[in-house]
Short mmCIF file of all heavy atoms in Angstrom, two decimals:
data_model
loop_
_atom_site.label_atom_id
_atom_site.label_comp_id
_atom_site.label_asym_id
_atom_site.label_seq_id
_atom_site.Cartn_x
_atom_site.Cartn_y
_atom_site.Cartn_z
N THR A 29 -8.50 -56.64 21.81
CA THR A 29 -7.83 -56.04 22.96
C THR A 29 -8.84 -55.83 24.09
O THR A 29 -9.93 -55.30 23.86
CB THR A 29 -7.18 -54.70 22.59
OG1 THR A 29 -6.19 -54.93 21.59
CG2 THR A 29 -6.52 -54.05 23.80
N GLU A 30 -8.46 -56.26 25.28
CA GLU A 30 -9.34 -56.16 26.44
C GLU A 30 -8.60 -55.50 27.59
O GLU A 30 -7.39 -55.67 27.75
CB GLU A 30 -9.81 -57.55 26.88
CG GLU A 30 -10.56 -58.32 25.81
CD GLU A 30 -10.87 -59.74 26.24
OE1 GLU A 30 -9.98 -60.39 26.81
OE2 GLU A 30 -12.01 -60.18 26.00
N ASN A 31 -9.35 -54.73 28.38
CA ASN A 31 -8.78 -54.16 29.60
C ASN A 31 -8.75 -55.24 30.68
O ASN A 31 -9.72 -55.98 30.86
CB ASN A 31 -9.63 -52.98 30.08
CG ASN A 31 -9.42 -51.75 29.23
OD1 ASN A 31 -8.34 -51.19 29.19
ND2 ASN A 31 -10.47 -51.33 28.53
N THR A 32 -7.65 -55.31 31.42
CA THR A 32 -7.53 -56.29 32.50
C THR A 32 -7.51 -55.63 33.87
O THR A 32 -7.32 -56.31 34.88
CB THR A 32 -6.24 -57.12 32.34
OG1 THR A 32 -5.11 -56.24 32.32
CG2 THR A 32 -6.29 -57.92 31.05
N GLU A 33 -7.71 -54.30 33.92
CA GLU A 33 -7.80 -53.61 35.19
C GLU A 33 -9.26 -53.39 35.54
O GLU A 33 -10.14 -53.44 34.66
CB GLU A 33 -7.08 -52.27 35.14
CG GLU A 33 -7.65 -51.28 34.14
CD GLU A 33 -6.87 -49.97 34.13
OE1 GLU A 33 -5.95 -49.83 34.92
OE2 GLU A 33 -7.22 -49.11 33.32
N PRO A 34 -9.62 -53.20 36.80
CA PRO A 34 -11.01 -53.01 37.19
C PRO A 34 -11.66 -51.86 36.45
O PRO A 34 -11.04 -50.82 36.23
CB PRO A 34 -10.92 -52.71 38.70
CG PRO A 34 -9.64 -53.34 39.13
CD PRO A 34 -8.71 -53.19 37.96
N GLN A 35 -12.93 -52.02 36.08
CA GLN A 35 -13.65 -51.00 35.32
C GLN A 35 -13.74 -49.69 36.10
O GLN A 35 -13.73 -48.61 35.51
CB GLN A 35 -15.05 -51.50 34.98
CG GLN A 35 -15.86 -50.56 34.10
CD GLN A 35 -15.24 -50.37 32.73
OE1 GLN A 35 -14.68 -51.30 32.18
NE2 GLN A 35 -15.33 -49.16 32.20
N SER A 36 -13.81 -49.77 37.44
CA SER A 36 -13.93 -48.55 38.24
C SER A 36 -12.71 -47.66 38.07
O SER A 36 -12.81 -46.44 38.07
CB SER A 36 -14.10 -48.91 39.71
OG SER A 36 -12.99 -49.67 40.18
N GLN A 37 -11.52 -48.28 37.90
CA GLN A 37 -10.31 -47.50 37.72
C GLN A 37 -10.32 -46.80 36.38
O GLN A 37 -9.84 -45.69 36.23
CB GLN A 37 -9.07 -48.40 37.83
CG GLN A 37 -8.87 -48.98 39.22
CD GLN A 37 -7.60 -49.80 39.30
OE1 GLN A 37 -6.70 -49.65 38.48
NE2 GLN A 37 -7.53 -50.68 40.29
N ILE A 38 -10.89 -47.47 35.36
CA ILE A 38 -10.98 -46.87 34.03
C ILE A 38 -11.92 -45.68 34.05
O ILE A 38 -11.63 -44.60 33.52
CB ILE A 38 -11.45 -47.90 33.00
CG1 ILE A 38 -10.47 -49.07 32.96
CG2 ILE A 38 -11.61 -47.28 31.63
CD1 ILE A 38 -10.94 -50.22 32.07
N ASP A 39 -13.09 -45.85 34.71
CA ASP A 39 -14.09 -44.79 34.73
C ASP A 39 -13.61 -43.58 35.51
O ASP A 39 -13.98 -42.44 35.22
CB ASP A 39 -15.39 -45.31 35.34
CG ASP A 39 -16.04 -46.39 34.47
OD1 ASP A 39 -15.73 -46.41 33.26
OD2 ASP A 39 -16.82 -47.20 35.01
N ASP A 40 -12.75 -43.80 36.54
CA ASP A 40 -12.28 -42.70 37.37
C ASP A 40 -11.10 -41.96 36.78
O ASP A 40 -10.65 -40.95 37.32
CB ASP A 40 -11.88 -43.23 38.76
CG ASP A 40 -13.09 -43.73 39.53
OD1 ASP A 40 -14.22 -43.35 39.17
OD2 ASP A 40 -12.89 -44.53 40.48
N SER A 41 -10.59 -42.45 35.65
CA SER A 41 -9.41 -41.82 35.05
C SER A 41 -9.77 -40.46 34.50
O SER A 41 -10.70 -40.31 33.71
CB SER A 41 -8.84 -42.70 33.93
OG SER A 41 -7.78 -42.05 33.29
N ALA A 42 -9.05 -39.41 34.92
CA ALA A 42 -9.35 -38.05 34.47
C ALA A 42 -8.95 -37.83 33.03
O ALA A 42 -9.62 -37.12 32.29
CB ALA A 42 -8.64 -37.04 35.37
#
Side-chain angles (χ1 to χ4, degrees):
T29 298
E30 301 173 317
N31 286 295
T32 58
E33 62 181 357
Q35 185 64 36
S36 59
Q37 294 183 20
I38 301 174
D39 295 337
D40 293 340
S41 176

